[in-house]
Amino acid sequence: MTERKLFLLPGDGIGPEAMAEVHKLISWMNEQGAGFTTDEGLVGGCAYDAHGQAISEDDMAKAVAADAVLFGAVGGPKWDSVPYEVRPEAGLLRLRKDMELFANLRPAICYPALAASSSLKPEVVEGLDILIVRELTGGVYFGEPKEIIDLGNGQKRGIDTQVYDTYEIERITGVACELAKTRSNKVCSMEKHNVMKSGVLWKEVVSDYHKRNYPDVELSHMLADAGGMQLVRWPKQFDVIVTDNLFGDMLSDVAAMLTGSLGMLPSASLGAPDAKTGKRKALYEPVHGSAPDIAGQQKANPIAMIASFAMCLRYSFEMIEEATRLETAIANVLDKGIRTADIAAAGDSPVSTSQMGDAILEEYKALSA
Ligand code: IPM
Ligand code: MG
């Protein structure tokens, strides 16, 4: 039997509650012979409390060695004043950087049952299926210098550096075009070439790389601010959006909310395929944060976490059938009107995190029978 090595990092806030629901699925799939092994580590505030780091060297090594990492969420007011280098988010950023997870896939799908929960009109979001491909290991998140300097005259200066090299833009363009081929074959690249040199290069490299390698994929360009506006005006015009780290962070939150709730959106962060094995390093995480205000109360929506596990089945283990079945299970449960508080309408009585997880597991079992 193939061993499938998962490393779980539930993290802080609602992370552990959401991860518990994935655990139930893994256990059941293992009873059917899926062969997952799981190990668990600490990341974020809980890791800081345990050993003064946002992630330990030991857990970093385990993440690198795993076939896939499942990540919950990090952060909370409790750690607002810890030193910058060991703040909870540093654990996530280190995982992305050290594992070279340059391609972040953030699908925004509007389940029919939830069209009414969106803040936009149902006809604008119904049937929405777009994919944001966010560059994840470059740009202003990691560029140097990154510092606050004392100017000595009572003033300080905060500096972040936006920097992109050709190869970074080319490889993310490649991922976006490859994925577009499996969907509606359209890529829209977003940057701000009207004010940023990195935007000028971004646009140029995307165009060249596309022309040389993917002439059959339909490519368009949009300024990122206009892209944000178009995303809330008529999102269905998009298929795949490719953009840099910071714009991708913002645009994916916008896209997430189109679908009804941040609690619905999964993501996959992938590295380059290994030259020998063809396997990619990978981390799967919900787009939502740790939601400390509702943590520990069984109010969180576990769907983004469970859908992230579905992406893991698809991209890390080629378990395409199982992935699709799990996504169908989520859609069916929503069709039945089962709702956590974040997606409940007036008059619905919301279910708990674990009730939602149980409902999805039962539906998954039924679909597997
Ligand atoms: C995300 C988050 C992270 C980011 C934070 C937690 C560092 O907002 O994954 O979108 O900014 O990338
Ligand atoms: Mg974000």
Side-chain angles (χ1 to χ4, degrees):
M1 193 169 65
T2 42
E3 192 200 350
R4 299 180 162 127
K5 257 198 305 190
L6 288 172
F7 187 51
L8 313 187
L9 291 169
D12 307 318
I14 59 171
E17 289 161 79
M19 191 69 81
E21 303 313 307
V22 171
H23 241 296
K24 291 179 186 168
L25 277 155
I26 295 172
S27 303
W28 188 78
M29 289 172 83
N30 273 347
E31 285 168 29
Q32 318 303 306
F36 290 113
T37 59
T38 57
D39 194 357
E40 202 166 307
L42 298 176
V43 67
C46 59
Y48 176 79
D49 289 345
H51 35 242
Q53 292 290 328
I55 183 163
S56 67
E57 295 308 320
D58 196 33
D59 281 345
M60 263 316 298
K62 286 181 181 170
V64 171
D67 290 319
V69 178
L70 297 180
F71 183 98
V74 289
K78 182 176 173 202
W79 303 284
D80 274 351
S81 52
V82 306
Y84 185 79
E85 298 68 42
V86 292
R87 72 199 187 287
E89 291 78 6
L92 175 58
L93 296 175
R94 172 147 186 228
L95 283 159
R96 290 174 178 171
K97 192 71 179 168
D98 287 12
M99 292 170 73
E100 267 201 81
L101 306 172
F102 69 91
N104 184 215
L105 281 42
R106 299 192 160 185
I109 291 168
C110 185
Y111 294 92
L114 289 188
S117 317
S118 173
S119 48
L120 299 189
K121 297 190 194 93
E123 64 268 26
V124 176
V125 294
E126 232 159 34
L128 179 74
D129 179 0
I130 61 182
L131 175 64
I132 297 193
V133 177
R134 166 187 177 194
E135 199 291 325
L136 202 60
T137 49
V140 76
Y141 272 61
F142 298 100
E144 297 284 349
K146 188 180 204 51
E147 59 189 346
I148 297 173
I149 51 177
D150 199 328
L151 298 176
N153 55 355
Q155 295 286 307
K156 290 182 182 175
R157 179 173 293 158
I159 304 171
D160 292 283
T161 306
Q162 163 85 348
V163 46
Y164 272 108
D165 292 354
T166 306
Y167 78 96
E168 295 177 285
I169 306 170
E170 287 186 342
R171 65 183 179 180
I172 197 72
T173 305
V175 170
C177 290
E178 282 298 330
L179 288 163
K181 290 204 295 189
T182 68
R183 303 166 43 95
S184 301
N185 211 38
K186 288 200 307 192
V187 173
C188 180
S189 165
M190 296 187 187
E191 34 58 30
K192 273 195 59 84
H193 68 266
N194 54 349
V195 282
M196 297 164 80
K197 281 292 178 188
S198 59
V200 173
L201 183 72
W202 182 280
K203 187 174 180 200
E204 196 177 292
V205 173
V206 169
S207 299
D208 285 354
Y209 193 77
H210 162 264
K211 199 162 149 198
R212 277 185 281 126
N213 300 287
Y214 298 95
D216 297 336
V217 173
E218 190 185 313
L219 173 68
S220 60
H221 301 273
M222 214 176 259
L223 292 170
D225 55 342
M229 181 271 285
Q230 290 295 341
L231 263 177
V232 291
R233 192 186 71 85
W234 189 245
K236 286 188 242 178
Q237 69 187 281
F238 298 112
D239 178 27
V240 175
I241 292 172
V242 63
T243 190
D244 79 10
N245 205 343
L246 183 61
F247 293 141
D249 181 43
M250 296 164 54
L251 294 170
S252 63
D253 266 23
V254 174
M257 206 55 213
L258 301 176
T259 69
S261 164
L262 261 181
M264 302 293 299
L265 249 83
S267 88
S269 304
L270 307 176
D274 182 90
K276 280 201 203 98
T277 62
K279 276 187 95 76
R280 292 172 180 274
K281 293 215 186 319
L283 178 146
Y284 300 86
E285 58 168 312
V287 171
H288 64 67
S290 59
D293 52 320
I294 57 163
Q297 301 170 36
Q298 281 290 309
K299 284 186 185 161
N301 184 347
I303 290 182
M305 189 73 241
I306 293 173
S308 298
F309 180 55
M311 290 188 90
C312 171
L313 298 175
R314 173 171 291 118
Y315 292 110
S316 284
F317 300 113
E318 287 178 50
M319 298 169 74
I320 313 294
E321 245 172 68
E322 289 85 346
T324 309
R325 197 181 304 153
L326 184 50
E327 285 157 356
T328 307
I330 294 170
N332 289 358
V333 162
L334 291 171
D335 274 343
K336 288 180 189 164
I338 300 172
R339 301 277 187 276
T340 42
D342 57 313
I343 49 174
D348 285 346
S349 38
V351 301
S352 69
T353 308
S354 77
Q355 284 169 325
M356 179 59 96
D358 288 343
I360 294 170
L361 174 60
E362 286 315 311
E363 186 65 25
Y364 183 80
K365 285 185 190 172
L367 291 170
S368 308

